[in-house]
């Protein structure tokens, strides 16, 4: 989750806060590992459990899907 100049990383075990923008954080991964779904959110493609029109689920987390990012999710 983007938080101005920081990125909040949520894992099953713990949450982390890193001094990096979300865009810079995503660049560190290969193309298929993380997908940006909203201007403030990116998710691991392996953790998507359900996709709806305007939102998706990653386990128990409900993540909004931004209008400009819907085409990136067309594969899921």
């Amino acid at each position: 989750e983007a938080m101005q100049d920081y990125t909040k990383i949520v894992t099953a075990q713990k949450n982390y806060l890193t001094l990096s923008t979300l865009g810079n954080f995503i660049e560190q991964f290969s193309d298929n590992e993380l997908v940006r779904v909203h201007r403030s959110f990116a998710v691991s493609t392996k953790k998507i459990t359900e996709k709806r029109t305007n939102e998706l689920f990653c386990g128990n987390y409900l993540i909004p899907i931004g209008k400009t990012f819907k085409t990136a999710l067309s594969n899921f």
Side-chain angles (χ1 to χ4, degrees):
E1 177 180 356
M3 304 176 94
Q4 293 180 347
D5 291 337
Y6 294 87
T7 299
K8 180 181 177 183
I9 304 161
V10 178
T11 68
Q13 293 80 26
K14 191 175 178 181
N15 295 344
Y16 300 91
L17 193 61
T18 181
L19 181 56
S20 174
T21 63
L22 183 58
N24 289 338
F25 185 77
I26 293 170
E27 287 177 5
Q28 298 177 22
F29 292 88
S30 71
D31 292 337
N32 295 331
E33 287 184 87
L34 288 178
V35 62
R36 195 157 191 170
V37 297
H38 188 274
R39 71 180 184 134
S40 297
F41 293 95
V43 297
S44 169
T45 55
K46 297 175 185 175
K47 298 296 181 180
I48 298 173
T49 55
E50 183 180 346
K51 179 183 172 264
R52 296 184 181 169
T53 304
N54 295 317
E55 59 198 11
L56 57 84
F57 287 88
C58 292
N60 294 330
Y61 292 97
L62 176 66
I63 309 291
I65 299 173
K67 292 178 187 177
T68 58
F69 298 97
K70 287 185 180 184
T71 57
L73 290 172
S74 62
N75 299 338
F76 300 101

